[in-house]
Amino acid sequence: MNHDVLEEDMLRPATRSALDELTSVPGAPPARRPAALRANRTVRIAIVHDWLVTYAGAEKVLEQIIACFPDADLFSLVDFLDDRSFLRGKPVTTSFIQKLPFARSKYRSYLPLMPLAIEQLDVSAYDVVISSSHAVAKGILTGPDQVHVSYVHSPIRYAWDLQHQYLQQSKLTSGPKSALARLILHYIRNWDIRTSNSVDGFVANSEFIARRIKKVYQREAQVIFPPVDVEAFSLCTEKEDFYLTASRMVPYKKIDLIVEAFARMPERRLVVIGDGPDMEKIRAKAGPNVEIMGYQPFKVLKDHMSRAKAFIFAAEEDFGISVVEAQACGTPVIAFGKGGALETVRDLSLSAPTGMFFDEQNADAIIDAVGRFDDHAHQFSPAHCRRNAEQFSAANFRERFFAHVRASVPALRAAKLPPYVPYQAQPGAQAVADAPRILAVDQSGVLGGAELSLLEIVKALRSRIEVVLFDDGPFRTALAKTGVDVNVLDAGALRHVRKQGGSLPKGQALKGLVSLVRATAKRARNVDVIYANTQRAMVIGALAGKLARRPVVWHLRDIVSPEHFGGKQLAIIKWCARFGLAHVIANSAASARAFADLTQFDSKRVDVVFNGISAEPFDALRAVPRAALRERLNLPQDAFLVGSFSRLARWKGQHVLLEAMVLNPQMHAVLVGAPLFGEDQYEIELHAFVAAHNLGERVHFLGFQHDIPACMCAVDAVVHTSITPEPFGRVIVEGMLARRPVVAARAGGVLEIIDDHENGVLCTPGDAHMLADTLAELRSNDELRERLVRNGYQTALSRFGTQSYVEGVARILKGVAGR
């Protein structure tokens, strides 16, 4: 919806709406439109759909309704979509059925609960409610100050005129189960009629469905045909000597009758495209002249539909999209003369005919119709077929539906249909769409390397993920800005436990552990997989996973060795690996090897996925002069600045850089970072070293900084000085993206990023003399700097981009959740 056109004057109600004309009694005074819609504010719209489990006809209608009102919020009983692109990235509010056992595959079994479930979805905050209903969506509860427009694909078929067919197909014609089913359907019918009274205006997808609505609800309905992607098909005037039918092979489609008819017409060729439970039954009836191709991709279907002499359609459908698609190719249709086909095919009694009908669903009627078609084939023009199909285009649907809603809602009278912009999925969107529902767990509230990496995952998967933190801070704020659901749990005394060692939690710490596990398990019951981002989060996640019966994936971002962890912590990691981990994602091969050596974990359940780092914030600074960045950070303009970017911790080796500064008086050091986990004493030691060696004018402590790209682009070189093996080395990739030469310690995951003197320079960990010499060479060698910058940037883009990172993590989480 275009909010720019919703000015104050358009929010005044019209004297009489189209909806009033549909529902008012002749001679009665016109109804007053609710005061809520006269308020000076944006009109709020909710769209309610029955269930989101696939992309079929009803979902194609929903897609175009969303295109008409792109700012509307979505509601549905359940949301188990894989491909979510047609929702344009919108989140969906679901009912309690979403969380019930086996809901993903057995949601239809919860039919008795669906009326209750749809009534629990709260849309009271909206001015306009649009329901897209073939089951219970039209039963959403609305108030007297709300306008409810319901696009009805059909009243609940299996509760009304198709009840007996449904019971027969479900083998529920007799016995206690049959009695229960009939009782439930009776209750559904009563509820269906009662809730029809709360709909202000019905829209039907065909005259056939409008008659059903009149029969069942005693209400008139505006007919707006569903959208067909006519543009996806092109006119073909050259036809070949074969007939085509294409459909899912289920009983009511009557594909078996078409095949049986052609088996009795050996002189005519039939091609069948589709798959389904009736496949073997249909194959058994096929003769040599019938080619059954099974499921085929759209390209193959389109090709055959374009070349076919005619398209055969034997089902009684509410509308029948494939009938229109065939005509969009210029292919005439031979269809059963009942249901929606009567409204989409022009027979020989009309000008510009596009097809013919047969009156009974049996092989004899189909044989007779095909014979008559051959006699009159010269009367069908591909151009006429195409022209007839174009009236059912998606663009036509959007125009008509938007106009209908606008006429029904006085506050929208001056609104304009927003221009249609095809949805462009972001890179990796399919992997994101395929992701299961995820609970991400992290122990920290600060923005460390692990948290920045998780932030990239959350940005991409925000419609599929919720986050639990054990501490508050800037990380929670950054997550909240993405729109993701974030819960901060109180870690209590556990926040003082460090990975380097210490006593196992006792007393209050143990109480905190139990509390965190229970709270995490409670949230995990609503998801498919737990994704632990840090070591402490992994321990809580492993225990919570057992309680909630959910698999746990640990994103390992550490080298689990005595240099990084205490003995008791290593023992806990080994125990958790055996007890509660389904899979491990390692941020480097070095991390994976150390974990395997420690735990003997199954190598098939360990994958290496390099961290992904976005180039956008670095590329955005390319036009900003370095002098401006230095002025902003209060750094000297003419000095050769060497930047260190990490928290202040002894193993990160900032003291090695300071020792190199003593040896190299032509350079300045810039230290970006602060002590985070009880490492304040180390910061004091660094300042004492600076004072003792008179480095105060050449060493610049910037502390914690939010804008790391700006800080990196302000320096001349980036150094990584860890004295123990680094699991990955995010700073190295960031330095490459900043187009700065990088010098790093030769150990751990760093070796998987840097090729010495090609895209960076490697030094011996802890060797200040070698570091000083390397930095001196960089300062004097323009050719070396340019080569490192050029190759480093390409390395960062090609190997450590966010797309491959997100796709890798999403793929693994999906695989684990599906086991």
Side-chain angles (χ1 to χ4, degrees):
M1 180 171 60
N2 187 346
H3 293 306
D4 294 335
V5 301
L6 297 179
E7 306 294 344
E8 182 176 0
D9 59 342
M10 65 169 283
L11 292 174
R12 302 186 187 119
T15 56
R16 186 171 176 84
S17 71
L19 187 60
D20 294 330
E21 295 172 2
L22 282 177
T23 59
S24 61
V25 178
R32 296 176 63 90
R33 187 38 64 195
L37 293 183
R38 296 197 295 268
N40 184 16
R41 57 178 170 77
T42 299
V43 176
R44 297 166 299 180
I45 299 178
I47 301 173
V48 186
H49 193 68
D50 287 304
W51 47 73
L52 291 166
V53 295
T54 188
Y55 180 61
E59 288 69 40
K60 291 177 181 178
V61 172
L62 175 63
E63 179 179 22
Q64 299 305 324
I65 294 176
I66 294 171
C68 291
F69 304 101
D71 294 323
D73 293 331
L74 296 184
F75 296 79
S76 180
L77 290 174
V78 296
D79 174 16
F80 294 118
L81 286 172
D82 291 324
D83 182 1
R84 312 178 60 77
S85 59
F86 75 94
L87 298 183
R88 294 178 172 256
K90 284 181 174 292
V92 179
T93 300
T94 57
S95 74
F96 65 82
I97 294 179
Q98 178 81 26
K99 303 173 183 178
L100 294 180
F102 310 109
R104 176 181 287 273
S105 58
K106 302 292 185 182
Y107 64 94
R108 290 179 184 271
S109 300
Y110 291 112
L111 175 65
L113 297 178
M114 287 182 181
L116 174 64
I118 203 72
E119 291 174 348
Q120 304 315 304
L121 293 175
D122 184 4
V123 295
S124 59
Y126 298 87
D127 306 303
V128 180
V129 177
I130 300 170
S131 59
S132 165
S133 183
H134 55 80
V136 299
K138 74 159 188 46
I140 191 79
L141 297 180
T142 56
D145 291 344
Q146 295 174 292
V147 176
H148 180 186
V149 177
S150 184
Y151 189 98
V152 176
H153 308 276
S154 176
I156 311 175
R157 300 177 182 88
Y158 35 85
W160 290 102
D161 52 317
L162 297 184
Q163 172 188 294
H164 300 294
Q165 181 178 334
Y166 162 75
L167 292 173
Q168 185 175 11
Q169 291 177 354
S170 302
K171 298 180 179 179
L172 292 172
T173 55
S174 61
K177 288 185 178 180
S178 174
L180 179 60
R182 293 172 192 273
L183 183 64
I184 291 171
L185 293 175
H186 177 74
Y187 149 69
I188 293 287
R189 281 193 293 275
N190 288 338
W191 176 87
D192 196 30
I193 292 174
R194 178 177 59 77
T195 56
S196 69
N197 296 323
S198 68
V199 176
D200 295 290
F202 281 102
V203 181
N205 69 354
S206 64
E207 293 288 352
F208 179 65
I209 293 302
R211 293 195 298 274
R212 262 190 182 161
I213 291 172
K214 179 66 173 177
K215 182 80 171 179
V216 173
Y217 304 142
Q218 296 299 300
R219 297 282 298 277
E220 301 294 336
Q222 174 73 39
V223 175
I224 300 178
F225 293 118
V228 180
D229 190 6
V230 174
E231 292 76 14
F233 299 85
S234 55
L235 176 63
C236 178
T237 58
E238 298 297 325
K239 303 300 178 181
E240 299 180 16
D241 191 18
F242 71 91
Y243 296 83
L244 174 73
T245 188
S247 169
R248 180 155 172 76
M249 294 182 179
V250 291
Y252 86 94
K253 294 289 187 178
K254 307 298 182 182
I255 303 297
D256 59 324
L257 294 181
I258 299 174
V259 171
E260 180 184 338
F262 274 83
R264 291 162 55 186
M265 296 185 288
E267 72 282 4
R268 295 184 172 100
R269 180 178 168 226
L270 174 70
V271 175
V272 182
I273 294 178
D275 200 351
D278 278 4
M279 171 65 87
E280 293 307 316
K281 172 183 175 183
I282 291 167
R283 283 191 185 279
K285 291 188 175 184
N289 63 321
V290 177
E291 180 184 2
I292 299 179
M293 299 181 65
Y295 169 79
Q296 295 295 324
F298 175 73
K299 182 179 180 180
V300 176
L301 171 63
K302 176 183 174 182
D303 174 63
H304 281 75
M305 197 171 269
S306 298
R307 295 186 290 111
K309 187 175 183 178
F311 183 80
I312 315 291
F313 187 78
E316 179 185 346
E317 288 277 22
D318 304 331
F319 179 70
I321 288 177
S322 61
V323 169
V324 178
E325 291 174 337
Q327 293 175 80
C329 298
T331 301
V333 176
I334 303 171
F336 176 50
K338 195 172 181 181
L342 291 172
E343 302 166 53
T344 59
V345 178
R346 299 175 60 86
D347 71 4
L348 288 171
S349 66
L350 301 173
S351 61
T354 64
M356 297 177 59
F357 299 113
F358 52 93
D359 297 328
E360 297 181 18
Q361 285 178 311
N362 59 49
D364 289 334
I366 295 172
I367 292 171
D368 179 64
V370 172
R372 285 187 291 112
F373 176 85
D374 280 348
D375 293 338
H376 297 276
H378 61 281
Q379 294 183 244
F380 301 106
S381 164
H384 291 161
C385 292
R386 174 73 186 190
R387 191 175 304 118
N388 185 53
E390 286 174 346
Q391 67 175 307
F392 305 103
S393 69
N396 193 41
F397 172 87
R398 290 192 299 272
E399 290 174 5
R400 295 193 63 198
F401 186 78
F402 186 85
H404 179 82
V405 175
R406 181 175 57 192
S408 303
V409 182
L412 294 176
R413 285 292 174 83
K416 296 180 181 179
L417 176 65
Y420 181 72
V421 179
Y423 178 70
Q424 295 294 326
Q426 296 299 314
Q430 187 55 51
V432 173
D434 288 346
R437 295 189 175 273
I438 305 157
L439 179 68
V441 187
D442 194 289
Q443 68 200 41
S444 180
V446 301
L447 275 169
E451 288 67 40
L452 289 169
S453 293
L454 176 57
L455 189 59
E456 293 295 337
I457 297 293
V458 170
K459 288 177 182 177
L461 303 180
R462 58 181 174 272
S463 65
R464 314 291 291 168
I465 198 168
E466 58 182 283
V467 182
V468 164
L469 302 179
F470 300 157
D471 203 358
D472 205 348
F475 184 36
R476 193 264 308 158
T477 304
L479 288 167
K481 288 180 180 178
T482 70
V484 74
D485 186 14
V486 184
N487 292 281
V488 179
L489 306 179
D490 184 9
L494 276 182
R495 65 170 54 93
H496 303 299
V497 178
R498 304 292 171 211
K499 69 181 184 180
Q500 286 82 8
S503 301
L504 289 172
K506 297 179 181 178
Q508 291 300 314
L510 185 59
K511 182 179 179 182
L513 174 70
V514 173
S515 176
L516 282 181
V517 169
R518 286 178 174 172
T520 304
K522 180 179 179 181
R523 287 162 176 81
R525 292 188 178 96
N526 301 329
V527 302
D528 302 306
V529 61
I530 300 173
Y531 175 50
N533 191 54
T534 50
Q535 185 261 338
R536 200 182 315 159
M538 179 273 293
V539 176
I540 302 299
L543 296 171
K546 285 296 182 182
L547 281 181
R549 297 183 180 180
R550 296 294 185 271
V552 180
V553 175
W554 182 21
H555 202 134
L556 173 61
R557 305 183 187 276
D558 290 296
I559 292 180
V560 286
S561 65
E563 290 89 351
H564 292 272
F565 289 84
K568 293 177 180 177
Q569 280 64 35
L570 292 174
I572 290 173
I573 292 171
K574 289 176 66 175
W575 180 82
C576 287
R578 288 192 293 266
F579 174 76
L581 293 185
H583 208 92
V584 171
I585 303 172
N587 63 352
S588 68
S591 297
R593 283 194 299 271
F595 179 76
D597 291 343
L598 174 70
T599 65
Q600 306 303 308
F601 201 71
D602 182 2
S603 62
K604 294 180 181 178
R605 293 191 286 145
V606 180
D607 281 290
V608 174
V609 179
F610 292 123
N611 288 343
I613 301 164
S614 174
E616 291 182 10
F618 298 92
D619 290 344
L621 294 169
R622 291 190 67 178
V624 180
R626 186 179 307 184
L629 296 174
R630 291 189 175 189
E631 182 179 1
R632 184 197 306 177
L633 297 167
N634 197 27
L635 294 172
Q637 290 290 343
D638 300 327
F640 188 87
L641 302 182
V642 179
S644 169
F645 301 85
S646 74
R647 76 176 194 262
L648 301 183
R650 185 172 301 281
W651 78 274
K652 290 290 187 180
Q654 285 90 353
H655 60 279
V656 179
L657 175 59
L658 296 185
E659 291 169 6
M661 289 299 106
V662 175
L663 300 169
N664 202 331
Q666 290 80 28
M667 299 182 188
H668 288 229
V670 179
L671 274 63
V672 178
L676 298 181
F677 305 117
E679 293 154 332
D680 303 85
Q681 181 59 39
Y682 181 67
E683 181 183 27
I684 294 172
E685 293 175 14
L686 294 177
H687 281 281
F689 184 93
V690 168
H693 293 83
N694 298 316
L695 298 176
E697 294 184 358
R698 293 199 296 120
V699 176
H700 311 275
F701 289 91
L702 299 189
F704 176 80
Q705 294 286 329
H706 287 282
D707 195 351
I708 295 300
C711 295
M712 283 192 170
C713 291
V715 303
D716 295 285
V718 173
V719 296
H720 173 277
T721 54
S722 296
I723 59 176
T724 56
E726 184 80 47
F728 176 68
R730 179 186 180 91
V731 166
I732 297 171
V733 179
E734 290 177 327
M736 291 174 169
L737 290 172
R739 292 180 168 86
R740 296 296 177 263
V742 178
V743 179
R746 185 188 284 108
V750 173
L751 300 176
E752 299 166 50
I753 304 173
I754 289 183
D755 295 319
D756 197 15
H757 279 78
E758 290 297 323
N759 57 7
V761 180
L762 296 173
C763 290
T764 302
D767 190 335
H769 285 83
M770 187 176 184
L771 179 60
D773 292 343
T774 300
L775 292 173
E777 181 185 11
L778 272 185
R779 181 172 179 269
S780 62
N781 191 335
D782 294 342
E783 181 182 349
L784 174 61
R785 288 202 309 275
E786 291 174 3
R787 182 171 75 248
L788 298 181
V789 167
R790 181 178 61 254
N791 294 340
Y793 185 71
Q794 290 302 317
T795 296
L797 290 181
S798 62
R799 297 184 60 201
F800 307 106
T802 54
Q803 178 179 346
S804 58
Y805 173 58
V806 170
E807 287 179 345
V809 172
R811 172 181 53 79
I812 294 166
L813 293 175
K814 178 186 177 183
V816 172
R819 288 177 188 167

